[in-house]
Amino acid sequence: MQTLHASKCGLSTAQLPSYILDVIDALTKAGFEAYIVGGGVRDLMLGLNPKDFDAVTNATPAQVKEVFGRRCRIIGRRFELAHVYSGRELVEVATFRAPPKKAVTSASGMILRDNNWGTIEQDFARRDFSINAMYYQPRKGIVLDFCHAIDDIKNKTLRLLGDPTLRFEEDPVRMLRTLRFAAKLNFSIAPDILEVFTPEMTQLLRDISPHRLYDESQKLFTMGHLNRVLPMLIDFDIWRQLFADIDPKISTFIERAAINTDQRIQIGKTINPAFFYAVLLWKPFLERCEFYLNKGMVAAEARAQAGLDVLKRQATRTIIPRFAETFIREVWEMQTRLLSPKPQQIQALSTHARFRAGFDFLLLREKSGDHSTQGMGTWWDAYQLMSTDEKERAISQYNRQRAKSRRKAHTDDVLEPKSVSVDIEPLVQETAPRSRRERERKDRSRPERPVQMVTSGGSEIRADHPILKRKRVKRDLNQVVFGPTQ
Ligand code: ATP
Ligand code: MG
């Protein structure tokens, strides 16, 4: 182990937000060891802006709770952690961990429970990459480096601690982390990792819960280097593990969306990670629409059913939360609305909550060479910048052209809405609409008329039928004695 001077590593307390210093100080004052570890230290050393700071201590989660009281919450079962609220920020405070006991690993060596407290040396060995395992004590101005991680920082190399095969078997998600950090930091991957990073090894990702894989996919989408990591996902055969039904091919549309996502992150704009899922799944969605149309389903039903099918299939790999699924289906449905809006709906559409995402998606398709957008991406782009008068003129011009082209030909069945009312209907319904046949069957079984009018044995009940003359007797239940036969 070597102790480095923080200042020589380019680190100073001035770079640290007060919330992390407060946590370190409070733990130190209570008599515990406390360090900043992980991505925060790594990114500062590389001159990058850390996403967050993680703290590590020899205090157990219960002791951390004692120090911070109501500001602390203990979370996690498999991996117990303390969440400390410092000002408006949340700091993850982990306890030094020892190697897990045999009883809590699965048959394939995967760690199922990991709450065995230990020393700092043991904690170091449990971390994934050398560059993620530097312990920074800002008040002492030192960095504890157990494995010459500083050299890996200088040489821009990603090196796993310990035997790569074992480390991947213990936690297959480390394969995703390898690609994420290699892309994010533009580091090369150490040869001993490359050697074992085989398609067979990536099969282990099948054992990871689709919830965790969704979280990891979000990190890949939002790290700011999505465009760089996509080809790596294909090369290392991770793509097939994450996206079962999506061709492992980066189309112009996907590439443009990835570049766009990275640019937005670079300039500090927000992104909705579900948007990229909408892009990735667009082609499978269209293919599925086609499938239902060929079966004779009407376009709106085909789209609704196709959306549900595609998302259901994707959920076998990454479980997209319900709100994100709804967002994706709404973006897809917006494509239909934006492609061929009713003139009287245009203004309302442009203020719809899903307009922005739907429009961005449409324009991306168009700029990627998708001619089926019929130039409507550019049309909406211009429309938004117009004055009220210009908008009116644009709408009537659009209306004239629409009438002309309607006369000329029928446009694409999938993306052409057949009947849209003036009020914008909800873009998606939570469940698929019933098919026409199903509706007809239900309707047939439902009685349409009051009982008296129903024909019985071919003849109608006449108005003077004795059954209609029978009076309902109101019975006072208090007077009724319930015997065994009643
Ligand atoms: P990011 O910039 O994404 O936050 P990070 O390195 O801080 O990167 P976190 O997921 O925040 O990543 O984890 C914090 C630290 O915890 C890591 O730096 C690493 O030391 C350790 N760690 C996280 N996940 C694993 C894992 N799957 N296996 C081993 N160590 C891990
Ligand atoms: Mg982190």
Side-chain angles (χ1 to χ4, degrees), residues 129-263:
F129 301 98
S130 61
I131 57 165
N132 284 348
M134 288 181 284
Y135 296 74
Y136 175 29
Q137 215 315 333
R139 295 303 189 197
K140 291 188 187 158
I142 55 165
V143 176
L144 306 185
D145 179 1
F146 293 87
C147 61
H148 300 282
I150 190 76
D151 296 337
D152 294 329
I153 290 268
K154 284 182 193 148
N155 302 328
K156 290 177 150 282
T157 305
L158 208 54
R159 190 158 55 87
L160 268 171
L161 299 175
D163 173 34
T165 304
L166 284 180
R167 302 314 308 277
F168 281 167
E169 281 170 0
E170 261 176 12
D171 183 3
V173 166
R174 289 178 188 145
M175 286 182 264
L176 294 185
R177 290 174 65 86
T178 304
L179 300 188
R180 174 151 67 88
F181 293 128
K184 173 177 163 164
L185 309 171
N186 208 6
F187 270 36
S188 53
I189 302 172
D192 62 345
I193 301 180
L194 292 176
E195 215 167 280
V196 304
F197 203 148
T198 58
E200 294 77 63
M201 187 65 94
T202 65
Q203 296 282 323
L204 294 180
L205 284 164
R206 294 281 172 99
D207 296 338
I208 303 296
S209 90
H211 291 282
R212 188 163 176 221
L213 285 185
Y214 175 77
D215 287 348
E216 288 301 321
S217 71
Q218 297 304 282
K219 291 181 190 171
L220 289 170
F221 295 175
T222 57
M223 72 169 153
H225 295 282
L226 177 55
N227 192 42
R228 199 185 280 160
V229 87
L230 285 180
M232 297 167 81
L233 295 180
I234 296 177
D235 292 349
F236 285 86
D237 222 29
I238 294 282
W239 181 291
R240 276 194 310 146
Q241 301 302 333
L242 286 180
F243 320 119
D245 285 345
I246 308 172
D247 280 348
K249 231 180 74 193
I250 301 165
S251 63
T252 318
F253 179 41
I254 292 177
E255 188 182 20
R256 268 190 177 264
I259 293 172
N260 206 40
T261 307
D262 291 343
Q263 281 169 346

Side-chain angles (χ1 to χ4, degrees), residues 37-40 42 51-54:
V37 71
R42 175 198 72 214
K51 197 174 76 195
D52 51 28
F53 291 94
D54 301 306

Side-chain angles (χ1 to χ4, degrees), residues 17-187:
S18 59
Y19 70 82
I20 182 72
L21 285 171
D22 287 347
V23 171
I24 299 289
D25 287 344
L27 286 167
T28 312
K29 202 169 147 219
F32 297 107
E33 287 176 57
Y35 299 88
I36 304 172
V37 71
V41 184
R42 175 198 72 214
D43 288 353
L44 280 181
M45 281 193 179
L46 288 165
L48 302 171
N49 203 5
K51 197 174 76 195
D52 51 28
F53 291 94
D54 301 306
V56 68
T57 177
N58 59 349
T60 63
Q63 287 169 324
V64 176
K65 173 109 187 112
E66 263 172 44
V67 174
F68 294 98
R70 283 164 45 135
R71 288 167 56 199
C72 172
R73 235 162 38 95
I74 297 172
I75 61 138
R77 267 160 54 87
R78 190 183 81 92
F79 200 92
E80 206 175 279
L81 276 178
H83 271 176
V84 175
Y85 292 88
S86 183
R88 293 176 61 194
E89 301 292 333
L90 187 147
V91 182
E92 250 179 40
V93 182
T95 304
F96 293 148
R97 277 181 162 74
K101 293 181 184 139
K102 260 259 163 323
V104 290
T105 53
S106 74
S108 63
M110 202 166 88
I111 300 171
L112 303 175
R113 197 172 273 250
D114 194 2
N115 293 322
N116 199 22
W117 316 132
T119 63
I120 190 167
E121 287 83 4
Q122 289 173 317
D123 185 84
F124 148 76
R126 293 276 300 104
R127 292 186 178 267
D128 49 3
F129 301 98
S130 61
I131 57 165
N132 284 348
M134 288 181 284
Y135 296 74
Y136 175 29
Q137 215 315 333
R139 295 303 189 197
K140 291 188 187 158
I142 55 165
V143 176
L144 306 185
D145 179 1
F146 293 87
C147 61
H148 300 282
I150 190 76
D151 296 337
D152 294 329
I153 290 268
K154 284 182 193 148
N155 302 328
K156 290 177 150 282
T157 305
L158 208 54
R159 190 158 55 87
L160 268 171
L161 299 175
D163 173 34
T165 304
L166 284 180
R167 302 314 308 277
F168 281 167
E169 281 170 0
E170 261 176 12
D171 183 3
V173 166
R174 289 178 188 145
M175 286 182 264
L176 294 185
R177 290 174 65 86
T178 304
L179 300 188
R180 174 151 67 88
F181 293 128
K184 173 177 163 164
L185 309 171
N186 208 6
F187 270 36

